[in-house]
Amino acid sequence: MDLTLHIWRQKNPDDAGRFATYQLEGIRETISFLEMLDILNEQLIEQNEEPVAFEHDCREGICGSCGMVINGLPHGGQKGSTVCQLHMRHFKDGDEIVIEPWRSRAFPVMKDLIVDRSAFDRILMAGGYISVHTGSAPDGNAISIPKETADLAMDFAECIGCGACVAACPNGAAMLFVGAKIAHLGILPQGEPERERRVRAMVEAMDKEAFGACSNYTSCEAVCPKEISIAAIARMNRDYRRAFFTDRPMGSGKKRQ
Ligand code: SF4
Ligand code: FES
């Protein structure tokens, strides 16, 4: 198929940026979207032009690095898919494709399609972990966890930190990402002792970044390639409220999930 690509080109964070138009011919529908961009870049290099900078690593939907907006939709709008899982069979001959970086104040554009997502890293450093002493590997069954609890934690642990939720949100909110990280640790018994400290620290770290607040548009859930439910946000709000406004320490009393 032959395609016309309109791609955001921006030399560095200070450059105003602009769309550049490229023609590609003979693209096979069996290749992936990123392979199509690889072909474009090989052509640009042959023409002594600067290739398009875009992030990618695993190319199998698990690392979260490949985010970009395709025809107005983060990750291209295929349900439950990252850009690297998007294939050219979803396009047709003659299509015009507009490709942009995430657009959000908290994710400044570094170059072309690459944004700086270190705001996510700072939130994770504030509390997105459990404190356990390392040593010899513990017995896998030392703490038994009901399957439903493990499954629920896994639903939230699937977040790959790609940032599509922020890019899709009219408020630029990061609450689906932060809620998923808080939920997957807090649901498991290993994460319970630090549940209160974690939710406070991560929400405060989020508030220091340039993210907006959730007002229930639910665009985040709609574009999330891992189909993380906005229940994560409700859980985060509940934990934060409990950590702040009740005397009862978290981890005491009735078992919560
Ligand atoms: S919640 Fe979904 S969209 Fe947001 S960072 Fe995680 S995987 Fe990406
Ligand atoms: S390259 Fe890793 S999720 Fe796309």
Side-chain angles (χ1 to χ4, degrees), residues 51-70:
V52 177
F54 64 93
E55 254 195 288
H56 60 97
D57 188 4
C58 69
R59 296 202 179 204
E60 53 180 321
I62 56 173
C63 77
S65 62
C66 64
M68 60 187 80
V69 176
I70 301 166

Side-chain angles (χ1 to χ4, degrees), residues 31-37 54-56 58-71 73-88 90-91 97 99-102 113 160 162 164 223-226:
I31 68 171
S32 73
F33 193 86
L34 294 188
E35 286 168 333
M36 181 273 293
L37 288 181
F54 64 93
E55 254 195 288
H56 60 97
C58 69
R59 296 202 179 204
E60 53 180 321
I62 56 173
C63 77
S65 62
C66 64
M68 60 187 80
V69 176
I70 301 166
N71 290 341
L73 289 170
H75 291 296
Q78 288 294 317
K79 193 167 164 45
S81 290
T82 52
V83 172
C84 59
Q85 295 171 304
L86 179 64
H87 281 76
M88 295 312 296
H90 297 295
F91 298 87
I97 307 175
I99 309 170
E100 303 169 76
W102 289 165
L113 304 175
I160 54 175
C162 64
V223 301
C224 175
K226 296 298 160 185

Side-chain angles (χ1 to χ4, degrees), residues 190-250:
Q190 294 94 331
E192 180 68 26
E194 292 169 294
R195 189 165 172 177
E196 181 175 343
R197 184 202 59 73
R198 179 182 307 115
V199 70
R200 282 179 188 239
M202 293 183 76
V203 169
E204 281 162 18
M206 172 177 71
D207 286 346
K208 283 189 196 145
E209 303 291 342
F211 298 112
C214 173
S215 49
N216 289 324
Y217 279 98
T218 70
S219 316
C220 53
E221 184 186 71
V223 301
C224 175
K226 296 298 160 185
E227 302 182 307
I228 306 279
S229 161
I230 53 165
I233 299 175
R235 285 177 167 274
M236 176 177 66
N237 288 339
R238 188 183 61 183
D239 274 9
Y240 188 71
R241 184 173 175 281
R242 199 186 289 245
F244 245 101
F245 298 116
T246 68
D247 297 334
R248 189 156 58 101
M250 300 179 81

